């Protein structure tokens, strides 16, 4: 139920040229890189991208291209391998910068997971633990390529709870900032999340103000326990149950000033029937929420999510 960040962000359109291989695991002597590109459409972009990588001894393993119909805009994401001795990281940055200048790129980002720092995130959560616990275990198991700087909550958790014991064992700070209608403690939250790359709202049931979003300035990813744009706001499971739906879902999206209306990153669904009650609706929804949020975070870290128009995303 949270909101945050300005809009321009991000669904898929019409023209796709797709090359992929069964395995993206590079030989031991090579390193894996990712490059995403967003620029005005023009002849020869793919050729120049390929030449940029190949001229330094790199090899493209998979490439996705999206050119929306009648939009004159180009999107691509490339997985490639390279020898860091032959193509140093600094040189790589310079090469892709020249390419972006050639095509007046709106966005050109290169990432080398083995060499670059992991994304630093802070996690905001309220009373419910299921998304937070799943996220923590995903981080512990290495399924989520992030570093968690802290967990912030508006709900007190006792010292003997699973979450607190886990955080203490791994040295992750926990900050309890109880909120009220008059004081959302946003100034204190902003102090705690300095130097993070993005935020994750793991069922944080507070609405973030426009001032907060503008002050933070980076992306904020939220999980909504409903299949947006239906059933916005509070109690979406109850809303869906009373509406007699046959599919329930979860939606991970960017936070904007408009409640539950940010660009969608990931959605998951599960079938329900007349035999389900509200409790089983909620249980199925919670499982979807965990999976959906985890996948959205991975997609973001793997540079799979690109802005498309005002309220859409391209997700490669």
């Amino acid at each position: 139920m949270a909101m945050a960040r300005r809009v321009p962000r991000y669904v898929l359109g019409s023209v796709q040229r797709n090359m992929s291989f069964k395995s993206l695991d590079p030989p031991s002597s090579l390193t894996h890189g990712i490059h995403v590109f967003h620029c005005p459409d023009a002849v020869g972009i793919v050729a120049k991208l390929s030449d940029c990588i190949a001229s330094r001894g790199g090899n493209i393993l998979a490439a996705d291209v999206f050119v929306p119909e009648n939009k004159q805009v180009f999107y691509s994401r490339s997985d490639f391998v390279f020898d860091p001795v032959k193509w140093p990281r600094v040189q790589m940055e310079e090469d892709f910068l020249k390419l972006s200048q050639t095509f007046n790129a709106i966005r050109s980002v290169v990432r080398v997971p083995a060499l670059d720092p992991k994304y630093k995130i802070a996690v905001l959560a309220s009373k419910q633990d299921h998304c937070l616990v799943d996220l923590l275990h995903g981080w512990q198991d290495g399924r989520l390529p992030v570093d968690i700087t802290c967990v912030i909550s508006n709900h007190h958790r006792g010292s003997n709870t699973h979450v607190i014991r886990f955080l203490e064992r791994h040295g992750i700070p926990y900050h309890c900032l109880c909120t009220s209608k008059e004081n959302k403690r946003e100034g204190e939250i902003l102090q705690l999340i300095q130097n993070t790359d993005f935020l994750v709202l793991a069922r944080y049931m507070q609405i973030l103000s426009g001032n907060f979003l503008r002050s933070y300035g980076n992306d904020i990813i939220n999980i909504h326990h409903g299949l947006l744009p239906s059933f916005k706001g509070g109690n979406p499971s109850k809303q869906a149950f009373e509406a007699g739906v046959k599919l329930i879902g979860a939606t991970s999206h960017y936070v904007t000033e408009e409640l539950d209306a940010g660009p969608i990153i990931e959605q998951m669904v599960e079938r329900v029937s007349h035999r389900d009650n509200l409790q089983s609706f909620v249980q199925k929804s919670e499982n979807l929420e965990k999976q959906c949020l985890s996948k959205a975070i991975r997609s973001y870290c793997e540079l799979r999510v690109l802005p498309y128009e005002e309220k859409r995303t391209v997700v490669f």
Side-chain angles (χ1 to χ4, degrees):
M1 161 169 173
M3 309 176 19
R5 195 177 176 166
R6 309 174 293 280
V7 266
R9 259 193 210 270
Y10 334 122
V11 166
L12 291 167
S14 46
V15 182
Q16 278 195 308
R17 291 157 263 173
N18 196 324
M19 303 177 290
S20 61
F21 295 75
K22 289 184 179 180
S23 174
L24 296 183
D25 295 331
S28 57
S29 60
L30 300 178
T31 300
H32 172 231
I34 307 165
H35 178 255
V36 293
F37 205 52
H38 175 197
C39 68
D41 194 24
V43 174
I45 301 174
V46 172
K48 289 291 187 181
L49 276 168
S50 301
D51 183 64
C52 178
I53 295 169
S55 65
R56 297 292 185 177
N59 185 37
I60 296 175
L61 299 183
D64 288 282
V65 171
F66 172 54
V67 180
E69 186 176 2
N70 300 322
K71 297 292 185 182
Q72 295 300 307
V73 66
F74 174 95
Y75 298 86
S76 73
R77 179 184 182 277
S78 304
D79 281 286
F80 61 94
V81 291
F82 69 100
D83 185 339
V85 175
K86 297 179 180 177
W87 199 10
R89 185 69 179 82
V90 174
Q91 183 64 56
M92 178 185 293
E93 203 74 47
E94 293 178 0
D95 291 344
F96 282 119
L97 176 60
K98 291 177 184 176
L99 191 69
S100 69
Q101 292 170 341
T102 299
F103 290 102
N104 297 312
I106 301 161
R107 173 180 235 173
S108 175
V109 181
V110 62
R111 185 159 180 81
V112 181
L115 302 179
D116 297 346
K118 291 182 179 180
Y119 287 110
K120 292 182 180 180
I121 70 168
V123 183
L124 277 66
S126 290
K127 185 175 182 179
Q128 291 181 297
D129 281 345
H130 58 283
C131 284
L132 173 59
V133 169
D134 184 74
L135 195 156
L136 293 173
H137 286 295
W139 166 80
Q140 181 185 36
D141 297 342
R143 289 182 285 115
L144 296 178
V146 297
D147 283 330
I148 301 174
T149 63
C150 68
V151 173
I152 302 168
S153 180
N154 62 330
H155 175 74
H156 174 73
R157 287 176 170 81
S159 59
N160 202 36
T161 59
H162 173 70
V163 168
I164 297 301
R165 292 200 308 269
F166 182 98
L167 295 176
E168 289 179 345
R169 187 162 65 249
H170 293 281
I172 300 173
Y174 179 82
H175 305 280
C176 178
L177 300 177
C178 295
T179 59
S180 65
K181 289 184 179 180
E182 296 74 27
N183 186 3
K184 300 293 187 179
R185 314 286 292 272
E186 290 186 347
E188 293 163 85
I189 295 173
L190 285 169
Q191 289 292 322
L192 294 171
I193 61 176
Q194 290 183 17
N195 302 318
T196 56
D197 296 300
F198 66 97
L199 297 185
V200 175
L201 308 187
R203 292 299 302 274
Y204 185 64
M205 307 306 289
Q206 298 291 312
I207 296 175
L208 299 174
S209 71
N211 285 335
F212 179 93
L213 306 182
R214 288 185 289 273
S215 296
Y216 179 58
N218 294 339
D219 290 322
I220 302 177
I221 297 175
N222 182 49
I223 183 67
H224 179 75
H225 44 307
L227 194 61
L228 294 174
S230 300
F231 311 123
K232 294 182 181 180
N235 296 315
S237 293
K238 186 173 185 292
Q239 293 180 51
F241 178 72
E242 292 176 346
V245 301
K246 302 306 180 188
L247 288 172
I248 60 170
T251 303
S252 189
H253 64 94
Y254 287 105
V255 179
T256 62
E257 291 192 46
E258 186 179 354
L259 177 62
D260 293 333
I264 292 171
I265 302 171
E266 183 61 57
Q267 290 185 300
M268 293 184 178
V269 298
E270 183 170 340
R271 183 165 291 280
V272 292
S273 76
H274 58 278
R275 298 183 185 279
D276 283 286
N277 56 29
L278 181 56
Q279 182 180 5
S280 64
F281 259 57
V282 171
Q283 288 174 341
K284 289 179 178 180
S285 176
E286 289 182 353
N287 286 332
L288 290 173
E289 291 162 36
K290 294 186 290 187
Q291 298 172 56
C292 189
L293 181 59
S294 179
K295 186 172 181 182
I297 294 170
R298 288 199 306 274
S299 293
Y300 186 93
C301 293
E302 294 170 0
L303 303 184
R304 296 186 182 277
V305 187
L306 293 170
Y308 175 46
E309 296 185 331
E310 190 171 306
K311 290 189 175 182
R312 299 183 177 187
T313 54
V314 171
V315 183
F316 285 124

